[in-house]
Structures are given as C-alpha cells and as structure tokens.
Amino acid sequence: MQRNNKPEYDVIVVGSGASGGWASKRLAEAGLKVALLEAGKPQSDRNFSEHKPEFELPYRNRAIEILRKTRPVQSVFSVCSEYNADWFVNDIEEPYTTPKDQPFLWMGRLRVTGGRTNVWGRVSLRFSDWDLKAASHDGYGEDWPLGYQDLEPYYDLVEKYVGVTGLAEGLEHLPDGQFQPPMPLTCQETLVRNRVKEKLGRTVTLARSANLTRPQNGRGPCHYCGPCERGCVTHSYFNAAFTTVPDALRTGNCALISNAMVHKVLLDEETNRARGVLYVDRNTRETREIHARVVILCAQTQESTRILLNSGTREHSSGLANSSGVLGHYLTAHVRSGGGDGELPAFGEPPSMGGPTKPVGIYVARFRNLKGQAPAKNFLRGFGYEGGSSVEFNWRAPGFGEEYKKALREPRVNFDLTGFGEVLPRWENRLEIDPDMKDVYGIPVLKIYMKDGENERAMIKDMGDSAGEMLEAAGATNIHTYALPSAPRWALHEAGTARMGSDPKTSVLNQFQQTHDVKNLFVMDASGFPSNPCQNPTLTIMTLCVRSCDYLMNELKRGEI
Ligand SMILES: Cc1cc2nc3c(=O)[nH]c(=O)nc-3n(C[C@H](O)[C@H](O)[C@H](O)COP(=O)(O)OP(=O)(O)OC[C@H]3O[C@@H](n4cnc5c(N)ncnc54)[C@H](O)[C@@H]3O)c2cc1C
Ligand code: SF4
C-alpha cells in the first residue's frame, strides 16, 4: 500500500532472527516505520516445552523415522526433535541441491519468529584483529574493511542487552566482554582448565554464553533445566522471539508480517533503487508486493544470497548487486569433525535423574598461529573447542539384578572436546540458483557447492591430536580421539557469499553492509563476512548489524540514501 507515492514503510527487514531482530529493534526504537517480513509462523511461550517429559509426547521422542519423512536434513542434528520439529523447515517443500560428490547438510533452517536463535547453542565470542586482519598476518584472502576498534563499542552494547555469562581471561585474540557473572565450572571442568594451562599453556574457559545469571529487562536468570533448544518460559537465554522482536513491536513502529516468504527485491531500474520486495504468503500462496525507502536482508547467509540471486533483471542478469561477480562465492562454514573424549573422576558426586543441568560447558581458546608461537606446520588460521562433562549413571554396566543396580549407580564422567575450525574462503565454494528446481512456493532453489581443501584436512587432524593431548594432560583415562573428513559438510555457522570490502570490483557490500551497487539495499547477516574465524559468529552478526543500522540512520538524515 502506498500513500501519495510515498511508501508506507521506511524500511523492510527480511528475517526476524539474530540480525533481523536487532535491525527492527534499533530502527523502530529510533522512530522509523519498519515492516518485518518473516517466512515463518509466529512464536509464543505456549510453544515452549523445556519442562515437558518425553512420556507426554505421542511418540516419546523416539520416532526419528517420522521426523525424517518431512525433515530428513533438519533431523540429522538432535536439536530438531519431536518437541520442536515444526519450527524447522520442511525439507521436502523447500529443498536445495548439491553436486553428487559434494553433500552438504544445510541444517538449522528455522521457519518461526526468532529464526535460528530459538535453538542455537548460545556460545557468544568476540572476534579480534587476529581474525579481522588475518590476511595481513598470513597473506591469505582479504582483510575485513574494519577493525576491532570499530566493533568494540557495539560488542559492549549488544552483550549488555543479550546477557552473556563469561569469565574474563585477558587474551588479545579472544577479547573479554561485558559479562554477566559466570556460571560455575564443574569440578572436572576446573581440573581440565588448571592442568591444561599448567602443562600446555592453553586457556580453557567457561563457554561465554547467552544465558542470564542475573535478571534483566523482565527476563529471569537461568534455573538450569537444560534443554534451551525447546524454548524457555523465563526467557533466560537469548532468543530474538522474546527479546529484540517484541521490543521492536512495542514501539508501535514495527509491523511483523509472518508467513511471508520473500522471493525477490524489486528494483526501480530508472533510479537504480530498491523499491520493495515481492513475497509469497505461505498460507494462501498469494503473491504480494510491499514497498519501502530501504530494504535490509537478514534472512541468514544462504537465504539472503538466494534472494539477491533471484532478483536479477535484464540489466543485472547474474543477480542484484553483483557487478563484481562475487555474489554467491566464498561460502564458508566451520569444520567440526575433529575432537575427542575421555573419562575423569566424579569426585564423590552421585549421578541423578532430573537434577539441575548446566546449559553451558567450556571453551578452549584458539592456540594455533598466534603471536609468539611457531606457526602450525601445515595449515593457516586456527580452531577452538567446545566441550564439558556431567556425572552420569553407568548405563553400560554389565550383569543384571542387584549387582547391576549397584554397578549402574557407579558414577561415570565423560569429558568431551569438539573442535570448531576456520575454513578458508575459496572462490569455488559457492551458491548458484538451480535452474531445474523450485520450492513449493515457486521460488527457484539454491545449488550449494562446498568441499574441504588441504588446509581443512590438516586442521581437522590437529583438532583430533590436540584434543588427545589436552585430555592426557588433564589425566583422563579411556581417551578416544577422532579426525574425520568433514563430508557431508555440517553447517550451522555459514558465512560469506556477499562479502564486504572497500573495492566494489571484488566485493558486494561496503563495511556497513550496504551494497556497492544499490545504495538503499543492505544485507546485515553473515553473508558479508570476508572470512569466518573459528569463534562462533552470532555475537559479531548482531554487533555488525547494529553498527550498520546506525550508519543507515545517519545516511538517511544526510539525505544520502
Ligand atoms: C543448532 C544450532 C546451534 C548454533 N549454535 C550457535 C552458537 O553456539 N553460537 C553462535 O554464535 N551461533 C550458533 N548458531 C548459529 C546462529 O544461530 C546463527 O549464526 C544466527 O542465528 C544467524 O542469524 P541470522 O539473522 O543470519 O539468521 P537466523 O537467525 O536464522 O534468522 C533468519 C530468519 O529469516 C527467515 N527467512 C529465511 N528466508 C526468508 C525469506 N526468503 N523470506 C522471509 N524470511 C526468511 C527465517 O525463517 C529465519 O527466521 C547455531 C545454529 C544452530 C542451528
Ligand atoms: S537451561 Fe536455563 S536458559 Fe535453558 S531453558 Fe532452562 S532456564 Fe532457560
């Protein structure tokens, strides 16, 4: 709808997850009229089931075959379960393709307000200049067109609102943040932390995590019930569905339009300006247009790039904002197929059923290819680990009867370490539109090309070896390590495909995530990352987004957009 040829909205934001939630909040709170288009359905506390026992579910959370019928990809990762499967995309209705020899699991595709933040692991880590200027350190790829100093005040702002529990460690390459008081480490986590520091000089810290330990903005502190991926009625972890999006709506300046599957950005070819978007109403299958002065894509890396690739015109046949030819290229996603586990003592703690469950484990900070160390022999960049332990029953106890019952109660502590490694951005890892397939809404789907190179293979091997080294240093027994090729590629932390840069000939976005080609078109998710450091990406996605929104508002005031 338009009044006096003026669009009804100032800004269209596509996607209501980590980035879209922040964009809507920041802009609506500043007085701009925002239309927030979300492909998924509305989310509500009524859908949360973190306290519901399995025996209350129709299939007791045991019928994975039923989930596989509609969500063969999403259900590969156990966060998609009988509890919450309907928050995830139906893989049959919204497929993607890959070359036969490059299988790729595009998991964590959510279709509900809040996007992936409904189910994310919440680990929230800052990047440093070791990451943003990595190309200057080792000569591979491109530096980011901004530095840590540019991000620091925005990291502060985002962390204070999100609520991140963490321990300050004073590491240059993993900067400390505005932490809520730390959740305590378990005895085993403390043991590993101390021994690994003492023997190997590596830092094992609390996994900095978006879980509250103090009340904040009407949200309660975490009460250790455990399965955050099923929601949280006390709003104790960060989920855009009960934080940024409601804040935006409360202003009265933001309209959430659910079930709106955006197909393409509409371009006014005379003025070379985005005039709005075309979307399909998922319930009625009707096609609609909506108009605004500015369009911001926040639909998640692959989804936003899909929209741009599908927005080609006669002038821009290879996709919108693609004069560089770089759009779709340099897809990255962490490798996480190296790690290990081992047994540690229980220190007298008995196992329990239904006892408190700490939703946050440990994080091992990167220790390869940093200042003052010999470079790793056969790979660039680095990796960190997520991990932790809990005291369990001895489920594998042999025998039966009294003897079995006694053996079962013997506590077992398994301590695991899973590596998360940086994947180098490479031209050939890319997204294209598959000319032969459309989704159920008639929108052309993506073809994803992604495979590991020598650097990733060498890094995965070191992830396994180093995990073994640390478990040994901690005194663990029954140590097992693994270093597997990472195909089919797991993907939860994808980035790249519309990279930022200072040169419009080699990048799609400038440092404020504004497309070089179309001044009133922005992409504020991880598509703009020129590289994908080993730290989890979402804190930086949100931080960049707020910074870019401030730039956008300034440009609007100056009449530059
Ligand atoms: C299981 C899991 C664990 C994770 N753990 C961590 C972690 O510990 N730490 C970390 O940093 N990151 C983690 N991540 C990644 C993190 O969730 C994402 O980086 C982050 O949510 C991405 O934010 P986004 O705004 O780009 O996309 P999302 O949060 O996914 O939001 C995108 C939204 O856009 C909507 N959308 C998509 N296409 C369209 C369209 N065409 N039209 C309209 N709307 C559309 C989607 O429905 C979705 O709601 C995890 C992810 C998963 C799945
Ligand atoms: S563990 Fe904490 S944050 Fe997670 S669902 Fe329970 S109360 Fe919420």
Side-chain angles (χ1 to χ4, degrees), residues 118-135:
N118 282 277
V119 300
W120 70 315
R122 307 164 309 283
V123 175
S124 299
L125 305 165
R126 293 187 178 200
F127 294 176
S128 75
D129 279 333
W130 280 96
D131 307 303
L132 307 172
K133 304 293 174 197

Side-chain angles (χ1 to χ4, degrees), residues 15-89:
S16 68
S19 53
W22 267 106
S24 315
K25 171 179 161 65
R26 193 74 174 165
L27 300 172
E29 284 178 345
L32 294 178
K33 294 277 174 216
V34 178
L36 174 54
L37 268 65
E38 167 53 56
K41 57 193 170 187
Q43 182 59 293
S44 139
D45 286 8
R46 284 191 304 278
N47 301 328
F48 297 159
S49 60
E50 73 275 24
H51 299 149
K52 191 173 186 163
E54 287 183 332
F55 61 76
E56 283 184 17
L57 296 174
Y59 301 106
R60 313 291 190 258
N61 204 22
R62 294 284 187 275
I64 183 80
E65 299 74 18
I66 293 179
L67 295 190
R68 279 196 197 120
K69 282 187 187 161
T70 52
R71 291 165 176 88
V73 178
Q74 307 309 307
S75 63
V76 170
F77 195 20
S78 57
V79 296
C80 172
S81 69
E82 188 181 338
Y83 283 102
N84 61 7
D86 65 333
W87 299 354
F88 288 77
V89 86

